[in-house]
Structure formats: structure tokens, C-alpha cells
Amino acid sequence: MLADSLSRRVNVERSPLTLAWATAIWIGLLGNWPLWQRMLGMPDFAGTGGRLFIGLFAGMVVMVLGALFSLMAWRVAVKPLMSLMLILTAPLAYFIGSYGVVIDSTMITNALQTDLRETRDLMGWGLLINILVLTVLPLLWLWRQRLGNKPWLQRLGWNLLSLVLALVLGTGLGALRTADLASTLRNHKVLTKMVSPVNAIWATAALGVQKQKAPKGPPEVVGADATLSARPAGAKPPLVMLVVGETARSENFSLNGYAKPTNPELAQLPVLSYREVASCGTSTAASLPCMFSHLGREVYVDRPTHQETLLDVLQRAGLAVLWIDNQSGCKGVCDRVPNVQAINPARADHPLPQGLCGADGECFDEAMLHDLDARIAALDPQRVARGVVLVMHQMGSHGPAYFKRTPADRKPFQPECRSSALQQCPLEEVRNGYDNSIAYTDHVLAQAIRWLDGQQGRFDPSLLYVSDHGESLGENNLFLHGMPYALAPKQQKHVPLIVWLPSGTRAAQHLDSDCLSARRDTPMSHDGLYHTVLSLSGVQTAIYRKDWDWVAACRR
């Protein structure tokens, strides 16, 4: 009897609209659990009135999904397309619910540029559970359904009617609480970016439009007039080391007042730490190209442009330029200059000492410092004689697996979170793991300064360290980074800037030491990186802006 009943149910012919609406209800109510969890925890939605509004908002979400899916309710297309929606929803729910991220075009760019190592760190049992519940179970039901066959014109009529009814009902639900809805959309814009999978569809479409608007062909030439300043007889060429940090936030540096001793080695060195520096973005994909553009953030983010970078200008002026990467690439910044990866310990020309790299091929940041003399010797000697700019792109404090970023013997803060599922660790353990990565960056920078110090017989060396963006460590239930800039908390935009200028370099650059120290709390931003590197490396060009140069105010 039971088998006959189940057989009859499977043999019932379903309308494509039935499958579309069933998927809309499933995704709207269950697949968006992070959205409902967030709203239930917000004071604005407390009490009976708040809970009622959440219910109305859930109904509106279902109506929006129902309207969208009605356009896909065709006999041949409905099962594959609904399957795609279900497959999209599970990882979106996991990442939004676990780390508090929002989905926009920048986050889609981050996902597309993430390499295998970063992807592996983001995986966890929570993702598998979300996939099982939100994707596998409904897919089993979906693909067992038989579909009826109606003439396409009749199907079109029903689909359009479904679309109109969904929009009318959704509008009606919103009209019941117009003031509350307007207030929510105005004051909590992040909620609209949590509606899955609409968020991913919209963000991907927006990214596609951006790509279409971007100029085609070779990059626009910038700084065509770049030349090197004349050096007095006997003066040494510059050696500028720019260390691009990863996911380091200013407030966790003891040099900037943090209670835990995260900078024990730099504290013993004559470095300057600037405490009020704003990033260009909240992710590597957004910040890195912006940092190496002369435009500044306000112009760069609103202008679809394909221009040469700072490294192109330095190379055109005649300097030797080398990018050393220990991350997932330079996002196009270093494409036209010599660049190497620090994650290949098997290379015969630069074999890395044992212990610097793991079995998975990921190396600690000290690997970038290995054999620097040989790397410089391999560059064009005529360029080297004019000056060298080394850029090191760190793995730094890349999360969520902070514990992987530090060697076993460099973990002063215990216990540390040993999981990528940060929300399952006590916040103090999450911060210990993160602070260990900051302390290791302190060690790497100190090692770099010691190497640079040994180059003073040949060069006038300098070091700039600045992170690409910051990080959330559980504040307001947010983890990681990548929030839209206007909505991002300060922790994701407030980055460290550390400068080392030995006395010989300060004299060659005519820089006043007291002035440099007095500017520790002067507001600065990534906008100044381009112009500071130009001045420290002795490059003259019309695009240089003295008012953005971090050290120009102290040049006498």
C-alpha cells in the first residue's frame, strides 16, 4: 500500500510553476536563515511588532524569489535552473551566516580570484551541513517530479500571471508596514545584500557590466615623462622595500597602543608607526590595484580605467623593480615588471631552507626574504645601479586560518583558535591566533630591516610597510573582511603604516626626523603610497602630488 502511494505521488504531473514556487519558498524561508538570524538579533526588530515585520519581510523575500523563478518556469529549463539556485544558496548561507560577509560585486571578484589554498581554508563541516540540508534534500525531491506538458503560449501566460501576482502580493506586504520598510532599507542596507541567491545574481550581473565598461586593449600610459632625479657625485642609489601587508588592522599593533606585545622586535628598532591610516578598500581585489594607482580612492573607485601602475612608472624611469609574491597574485599590478612567487621551495635557483614551507606548498612570509642578494643580482645591472624597488606581497594575517600563518615556534599568545570555523572558537582564542600572525609579521619586518641595514654600503635603503585592508574579529558578529566600504566597520579600513628610514637615507632625502615623528597621528590614506614611493626612489613626473606624499611635509 505504501509503495503504491509513493508511486502515485511520483507519477503526479507537476506544473513548472509548482517547482519554481516550491523552490522559492524553500530558499526564501530556509536558505536565507542568516538573514532571519541577523534580524532576530537586532534591537530594531525586538518585540511583537518587530517579529511581525520580520514575518512580512520574509513574505516579501519569497515573493521576490517567486517572481524571479516564474521567469524560469519552463518545462525544459525549470529543473536545471532551480537546481542552480539551490546549489548557489547553500555556500552563500554558510559564508554569510558564519562570517557575516555580504555579497556584492567586490566579493564576487574576491571569490573569482581566490586560489586553492584560500578556498581550502574556508571549507568546514558547516558548509557540508548547509549543502546537505539546503541543496541535496530539495534536489532529491525536485528531480523525482514529473512535469506536465502545456503549449508554450499557455505556459507563457501562466508564468507572466505568476510574475504579476508575486509582485502585487510583495508590494501589498510592503504597504502594510511602509514606514518600517523604508527605515530598514535606509538604515540597514546590508540586509538587502543578504537575500540569497538574488545577491549573487545581482552582484555577478553588476560585475559583468563593469567588465564591459572597462576599456579594452593595452593599459593607458601613465607618467610617460618619468625620469630619475640627478644624484650628486658619490651619492648612493635608493633601495626601497615596500611590504604590502595582508589583513593587518592597526589596532592590533602594540606600536599603536595595543595592550598585547605584538611588536616586540620592531619596538627595539628605530621605526615610525603611523596610527591613523585609511585603506583604499576592504579586500585585496579592491585595495591592491587602487594602492598602486595615482588617482586616489575617490576617483579610482568610480572610474572604469585600465592604466599602468606605479611599478610601470618606476620601471620607465630606469629603476630595477621586482615583485615577490607569497599570496594569490598581484591582481594585475605587477604584470609588466619582473615578478616571482615565494611558494616554490623546489626551485633549484632559490631553494628554500627546511621549515619555511609546508607540505601543502604554502610558505611562511620569511620565504620572501630568502636569497634577496641573488635575486637583485639577477636583475638588469644597469637598472640596479640606478636604484631598486622591491615589493613583497605578504600572506600576513590572511584568515580564517590565522593559525596557519605562523611557525610553531612563533606563537606567543595561547590558546589560539585552530579552526577555520571562527564562530565556533571563543573570541579570545580567535584573537590570539590573529595576534600571533601580527607578531610574526613583526619578526618578518625586523628581519627585512636587518637585511636592508646591511645594504647601506651600497644603497640608501628604506622600508615602507602598509596593509591592504583590515579585519573583523567578531565585533558585531562580523568576521573576515570585504564589507562594502560605506558600511564596513573601522577595523576593516584602519590599517598600519610602518616606516624605517636610517640616518643616511634621511640625510639623502633631506628629511627632518622630529617632523616625521610628530606626524604619527596625522590622518593619512593609501592615496599617499604611490607618491611616497616616487619621492623615496627619486622619480620625477608630472603626476606626482606632493600633498599626498607621506613624508614630503618633512623634507627640508
Side-chain angles (χ1 to χ4, degrees):
M1 295 288 291
L2 180 58
D4 291 341
S5 176
L6 289 174
S7 178
R8 284 194 298 273
R9 290 180 185 178
V10 172
N11 288 327
V12 171
E13 289 188 348
R14 309 281 188 186
S15 164
L17 277 173
T18 301
L19 272 58
W21 275 97
T23 307
I25 294 170
W26 181 271
I27 292 177
L29 300 183
L30 296 181
N32 278 283
W33 65 263
L35 173 59
W36 314 132
Q37 182 184 65
R38 172 75 67 89
M39 294 182 73
L40 287 169
M42 296 172 68
D44 290 11
F45 306 114
T48 304
R51 298 298 188 261
L52 177 60
F53 176 77
I54 293 174
L56 291 175
F57 197 75
M60 293 173 62
V61 168
V62 171
M63 290 303 122
V64 169
L65 293 175
L68 176 63
F69 294 173
S70 293
L71 299 175
M72 308 176 189
W74 297 88
R75 188 173 187 274
V76 174
V78 68
K79 286 187 179 182
L81 290 177
M82 293 305 101
S83 297
L84 177 60
M85 298 300 105
L86 291 166
I87 291 169
L88 277 175
T89 298
L92 290 171
Y94 172 70
F95 291 119
I96 294 172
S98 297
Y99 302 113
V101 301
V102 297
I103 308 300
D104 59 7
S105 56
T106 300
M107 189 61 69
I108 296 298
T109 301
N110 292 336
L112 293 174
Q113 294 182 357
T114 296
D115 63 15
L116 181 59
R117 294 176 299 159
E118 295 174 356
T119 302
R120 183 177 61 241
D121 289 344
L122 291 168
M123 299 301 176
W125 287 107
L127 177 59
L128 294 178
I129 293 171
N130 273 271
I131 290 174
L132 175 63
V133 174
L134 299 178
T135 299
V136 175
L137 292 180
L139 282 181
L140 292 175
W141 176 85
L142 179 70
W143 285 93
R144 285 173 59 86
Q145 305 308 306
R146 291 184 60 214
L147 292 171
N149 190 13
K150 293 183 181 296
W152 75 269
L153 194 58
Q154 187 177 352
R155 172 55 49 212
L156 175 63
W158 280 108
N159 290 358
L160 292 176
L161 178 61
S162 175
L163 169 68
V164 171
L165 287 175
L167 294 176
V168 169
L169 288 173
T171 303
L173 289 173
L176 294 175
R177 299 282 290 271
T178 304
D180 290 336
L181 180 62
S183 175
T184 297
L185 297 179
R186 182 176 62 253
N187 299 325
H188 304 291
K189 296 178 181 179
V190 68
L191 296 179
T192 62
K193 297 179 183 291
M194 295 178 66
V195 179
S196 301
V198 175
N199 47 11
I201 296 171
W202 181 268
T204 303
L207 183 61
V209 171
Q210 293 174 19
K211 295 288 186 183
Q212 287 298 316
K213 289 183 178 179
K216 304 298 188 293
E220 176 188 340
V221 174
V222 172
D225 61 337
T227 58
L228 291 176
S229 304
R231 284 203 311 270
K236 291 174 286 190
L239 169 57
V240 180
M241 179 183 287
L242 170 58
V243 182
V244 180
E246 170 62 40
T247 319
R249 62 189 211 172
S250 181
E251 66 184 65
N252 286 63
F253 277 60
S254 56
L255 288 175
N256 297 338
Y258 189 50
K260 292 158 73 172
T262 52
N263 302 126
E265 295 189 53
L266 289 178
Q268 305 301 315
L269 295 172
V271 299
L272 300 165
S273 182
Y274 295 94
R275 298 183 288 207
E276 295 298 331
V277 182
S279 69
C280 203
T282 63
S283 68
T284 304
S287 270
L288 201 60
C290 182
M291 292 167 70
F292 286 82
S293 167
H294 71 289
L295 296 173
R297 181 182 179 277
E298 288 190 8
V299 175
Y300 181 86
V301 297
D302 294 324
R303 179 178 173 181
T305 181
H306 181 38
Q307 294 181 328
E308 291 182 339
T309 72
L310 168 63
L311 304 187
D312 294 295
V313 177
L314 297 171
Q315 186 166 256
R316 178 174 297 115
L319 295 171
V321 180
L322 176 63
W323 179 287
I324 305 176
D325 206 291
N326 194 33
Q327 251 247 47
S328 57
C330 66
K331 317 304 180 189
V333 169
C334 66
D335 287 354
R336 292 167 297 279
V337 303
N339 59 88
V340 294
Q341 286 280 336
I343 54 175
N344 190 356
R347 282 190 53 164
D349 52 349
H350 295 287
L352 295 174
Q354 189 173 10
L356 279 185
C357 301
D360 59 357
E362 180 176 323
C363 297
F364 297 116
D365 284 332
E366 281 180 273
M368 294 187 292
L369 300 174
H370 179 66
D371 224 2
L372 281 180
D373 294 291
R375 291 194 185 279
I376 291 178
L379 299 174
D380 182 339
Q382 292 185 335
R383 289 182 174 274
V384 172
R386 301 185 195 108
V388 179
V389 177
L390 294 175
V391 185
M392 296 189 176
H393 187 201
Q394 282 188 294
M395 177 58 78
S397 302
H398 197 291
Y402 306 122
F403 67 95
K404 291 185 177 181
R405 311 299 170 231
T406 52
D409 60 344
R410 292 200 170 274
K411 295 179 180 291
F413 308 112
Q414 295 293 335
E416 69 171 357
C417 178
R418 303 283 299 177
S419 170
S420 295
L422 300 179
Q423 71 282 1
Q424 297 177 9
C425 289
L427 284 182
E428 186 57 32
E429 293 186 14
V430 172
R431 288 167 185 162
N432 280 344
Y434 181 83
D435 288 339
N436 284 334
S437 71
I438 298 297
Y440 181 59
T441 288
D442 174 82
H443 172 68
V444 172
L445 293 178
Q447 292 286 86
I449 289 172
R450 293 185 185 103
W451 178 80
L452 287 167
D453 192 47
Q455 305 299 311
Q456 291 199 65
R458 184 182 176 193
F459 297 100
D460 280 328
S462 58
L463 178 139
L464 298 174
Y465 163 81
V466 64
S467 185
D468 57 353
H469 54 79
E471 185 85 327
S472 287
L473 296 174
E475 299 89 359
N476 301 313
N477 294 317
L478 293 178
F479 291 93
L480 305 185
H481 52 266
M483 290 281 286
Y485 200 86
L487 305 176
K490 186 177 182 181
Q491 288 87 355
Q492 295 189 24
K493 299 183 288 188
H494 188 204
V495 295
L497 167 61
I498 294 172
V499 178
W500 176 75
L501 296 165
S503 58
T505 301
R506 291 197 303 272
Q509 293 280 337
H510 308 288
L511 294 170
D512 183 278
S513 299
D514 292 337
C515 173
L516 290 170
S517 298
R519 288 172 55 81
R520 288 191 64 191
D521 294 311
T522 301
M524 300 177 179
S525 74
H526 276 165
D527 293 353
L529 175 66
Y530 192 106
H531 308 277
T532 306
V533 173
L534 285 180
S535 71
L536 290 178
S537 57
V539 174
Q540 294 181 325
T541 170
I543 61 174
Y544 167 73
R545 289 189 55 166
K546 182 178 179 180
D547 56 326
W548 283 6
D549 184 346
W550 291 330
V551 301
C554 298
R555 187 170 278 118
R556 306 303 183 217

